Amino acid sequence: MPATGKTKKSTKKNAKEFDFIVVSNRLPVDRVRNADGKDDWRRSPGGLVTALGPVMAKSDGAWVGWHGAPGEKLDAFGHENMKLIPVELSAEEVELYYEGFANATLWPLYHDVIAPPEFHRTWWEAYRTVNKRFADAVAHSAAQGAIVWVQDYQLQLVPKYLREARPDLQIGFFNHIPFPPLEIYAQLPWRRALLEGLLGADLLGFQRPNDASNFLRCVRRYVNATVKQNQITIGERTVRAGAFPISIDTAQISALAATPEVQERAKQIRRDLGNPKTVLLGVDRLDYTKGIRHRLKAFSELLEEGRLNVGDVTLIQVASPSRERVESYRMLREEVEGTVGRINGTFDTIQHTAVRYLHHSYPLAEMVALYLAADVMLVTALRDGMNLVAKEYVATRANNDGALVLSEFTGAADQLRQALLINPHDIDGLKDSMMAAVEISASESARRMRLMRRQILDHDVERWSQEFLSSLRSKT
């Protein structure tokens, strides 16, 4: 769908044009209420903001995204040296485009159909409309020859719309979630249109080599293009696809873990739990892809079999709220909380709790304290593009202690190969790996952790952004 109202671009940049633009579903800020009762903005937590903020500052950059309030129109504004360009979404569009097509169609489809995706034409039309609006906002704000980096599955049509409106732009796209195999992607009624949308970019980035391979297979099947290795030729254009695994701000996490305040908070957490011998930790969004139910089942069976005992071991499960208006997420919350209640009702003692369940989001300093307090980190995702929690845990272990139990179905498993890798569907295997983590020797823990820490110290989020943007600029 070509953009309308296209204007001829002059070679002179005006005050509203930017050399570098990031496009994501949400702006990198959250609205907060000050002590005086007035609204203000606060930078959102997350590695993407940390990685791209300095790049934007150096490149006269802007960020395009929705500001989080349905039906509210805002002018562009500045925050912490970032220029922010809000895109307006109505309440109906949030329901159809975001909660519907993005999170009830694409999210389950791209995560191996762990939950059944829904296919509704009204959702698809809303997705097209919103993607066009995002592309228009970029087209009106980008300088001649600017670099535009589009982020994630909510905006897969934006590259094509941008290419049609502004062929002068350098366009990159990064998919933060998995890209499904051909046999699963084939179910999508609008499979070709989405692929053509993505192919408006010059460079497509994925978390894992398998994701890039899946995408290339789908292009071969459904698009009239020539695919050779990682390059796709469409007419006179060449599009490249490859793996650029995202990482974390390792220095920030390490620095927080070294502060006396955070270290004391970690000790306090253990004291509040009754000083168990071993603290197990799970940190997830409350999402059906995270394998929380599998983790709880394995822990419950270990308690039932007497391989673990309440008092010696406590599991902390942080499950931050997620998409609570979507029915499948409401049902998941009921099931998880019911399971936690049954475990605690069966195994708790007066002094000790089996599972400390926390349905909250926490500031980064508190999360680092939880990582420090934990002897074993449990990452049991059924499918995950990367899983940065695993990397954050490793970043806190300056003493090379602790153990990481990590699903092989996460992108992080490609980099953190010294973790205790598990198939979360294999409950007996998961139980054995949990026991191995609990009983690991100090020397074996140090050997594994030292190698994993070296990997994330060498491959942090700044290196991720630099490698992607360098590749986009090189066009080779």
Side-chain angles (χ1 to χ4, degrees):
M1 180 188 298
T4 57
K6 178 180 172 184
T7 58
K8 184 177 180 181
K9 306 296 292 185
S10 69
T11 57
K12 184 178 179 180
K13 188 177 71 171
N14 65 49
K16 294 185 179 180
E17 294 180 337
F18 300 91
D19 295 319
F20 178 64
I21 296 179
V22 175
V23 196
S24 62
N25 175 64
R26 285 294 299 269
L27 286 174
V29 291
D30 298 315
R31 183 179 270 146
V32 294
R33 184 65 57 89
N34 285 335
D36 59 5
K38 295 181 179 180
D39 284 344
D40 199 357
W41 298 97
R42 178 181 61 199
R43 179 183 283 214
S44 304
L48 189 62
V49 187
T50 302
L52 299 183
V55 182
M56 294 175 67
K58 295 175 184 175
S59 309
D60 185 22
W63 200 305
V64 173
W66 179 47
H67 62 284
E72 181 183 42
K73 183 176 179 61
L74 292 181
D75 293 330
F77 63 98
H79 181 76
E80 294 185 359
N81 299 318
M82 291 189 294
K83 189 69 172 181
L84 305 178
I85 303 174
V87 175
E88 181 183 2
L89 295 181
S90 69
E92 182 181 34
E93 286 170 337
V94 173
E95 178 183 354
L96 300 179
Y97 143 79
Y98 181 70
E99 296 173 357
F101 195 78
N103 290 316
T105 300
L106 294 179
W107 180 269
L109 186 78
Y110 282 33
H111 287 84
D112 291 353
V113 197
I114 295 168
E118 299 180 43
F119 305 114
H120 300 293
R121 287 170 287 181
T122 54
W123 292 1
W124 166 244
E125 289 303 320
Y127 186 84
R128 292 176 62 197
T129 298
V130 170
N131 272 240
K132 178 66 164 54
R133 191 176 306 146
F134 272 79
D136 287 345
V138 176
H140 292 132
S141 304
Q144 187 77 15
I147 291 176
V148 179
W149 195 0
V150 185
Q151 305 289 330
D152 224 0
Y153 65 104
Q154 301 96 342
L155 303 176
Q156 291 178 98
L157 299 178
V158 168
K160 179 185 178 184
Y161 292 151
L162 266 183
R163 177 67 55 198
E164 292 170 341
R166 293 288 306 277
D168 60 290
L169 299 177
Q170 297 180 69
I171 303 170
F173 181 93
F174 188 79
N175 201 59
H176 291 259
I177 68 173
F179 197 91
L182 170 63
E183 294 76 14
I184 289 178
Y185 185 79
Q187 299 175 43
L188 185 66
W190 308 281
R191 56 201 183 190
R192 178 167 180 165
L194 273 188
L195 293 172
E196 291 175 341
L198 290 168
L199 290 171
D202 297 294
L203 177 65
L204 293 157
F206 299 89
Q207 298 280 28
R208 311 178 79 173
N210 281 349
D211 296 323
S213 297
N214 288 342
F215 172 76
L216 293 167
R217 282 190 65 208
C218 291
V219 170
R220 285 192 189 96
R221 176 66 179 81
Y222 295 117
V223 179
N224 184 22
T226 301
V227 179
K228 186 175 181 180
Q229 294 182 327
N230 71 330
Q231 295 193 337
I232 304 149
T233 303
I234 309 170
E236 297 180 357
R237 290 184 58 239
T238 299
V239 180
R240 290 169 294 131
F244 296 85
I246 196 170
S247 193
I248 61 170
D249 186 350
T250 311
Q252 180 191 28
I253 301 290
S254 299
L256 271 173
T259 62
E261 296 83 1
V262 171
Q263 291 180 356
E264 177 55 35
R265 175 59 185 148
K267 294 174 184 175
Q268 182 63 50
I269 289 170
R270 294 188 72 101
R271 288 195 294 268
D272 291 345
L273 294 171
N275 284 317
K277 293 178 182 177
T278 305
V279 175
L280 310 177
L281 175 64
V283 175
D284 312 271
R285 281 191 311 105
L286 190 54
D287 191 290
Y288 51 77
T289 64
K290 301 300 184 181
I292 299 172
R293 291 171 292 192
H294 299 64
R295 182 183 315 158
L296 291 173
K297 181 176 178 61
F299 183 62
S300 176
E301 289 188 9
L302 288 172
L303 292 174
E304 186 176 353
E305 295 164 5
R307 297 170 71 183
L308 293 178
N309 295 292
V310 173
D312 290 337
V313 176
T314 297
L315 169 62
I316 303 174
Q317 176 59 59
V318 178
S320 58
S322 176
R323 300 169 189 162
E324 296 192 302
R325 292 176 52 178
V326 179
E327 179 62 22
S328 60
Y329 287 79
R330 288 197 295 265
M331 293 174 61
L332 174 64
R333 179 178 178 181
E334 290 179 6
E335 183 179 351
V336 168
E337 293 181 353
T339 301
V340 169
R342 285 192 295 274
I343 293 172
N344 287 342
T346 302
F347 298 105
D348 276 9
T349 67
I350 296 295
Q351 297 87 4
H352 301 285
T353 296
V355 181
R356 188 64 59 89
Y357 175 76
L358 305 167
H359 185 57
H360 307 289
S361 297
Y362 291 96
L364 182 59
E366 182 72 1
M367 291 309 308
V368 171
L370 282 166
Y371 294 145
L372 284 176
D375 303 288
V376 178
M377 186 78 219
L378 300 175
V379 177
T380 57
L382 308 180
R383 191 79 164 91
D384 212 335
M386 178 52 62
N387 195 284
L388 298 180
V389 163
K391 295 186 175 184
E392 289 176 349
Y393 178 76
V394 170
T396 66
R397 314 314 290 189
N399 295 330
N400 294 317
D401 57 353
L404 173 62
V405 176
L406 180 61
S407 168
E408 64 190 59
F409 304 123
T410 65
D414 288 353
Q415 288 97 50
L416 305 179
R417 296 184 179 277
Q418 291 75 31
L420 295 165
L421 298 177
I422 53 101
N423 173 0
H425 300 284
D426 176 8
I427 299 299
D428 287 334
L430 173 56
K431 287 158 57 180
D432 289 342
S433 292
M434 289 170 66
M435 290 305 303
V438 169
E439 297 169 348
I440 194 168
S441 67
S443 60
E444 179 64 7
S445 172
R447 183 188 70 81
R448 291 172 179 265
M449 196 61 67
R450 189 177 296 111
L451 292 169
M452 290 191 288
R453 283 181 56 77
R454 184 181 304 162
Q455 206 284 336
I456 63 166
L457 288 169
D458 291 343
H459 298 83
D460 64 1
V461 71
E462 184 177 358
R463 177 168 172 175
W464 166 76
S465 62
Q466 289 175 346
E467 288 183 349
F468 184 93
L469 292 172
S470 295
S471 184
L472 176 60
R473 292 185 182 102
S474 71
K475 296 186 177 182
T476 58

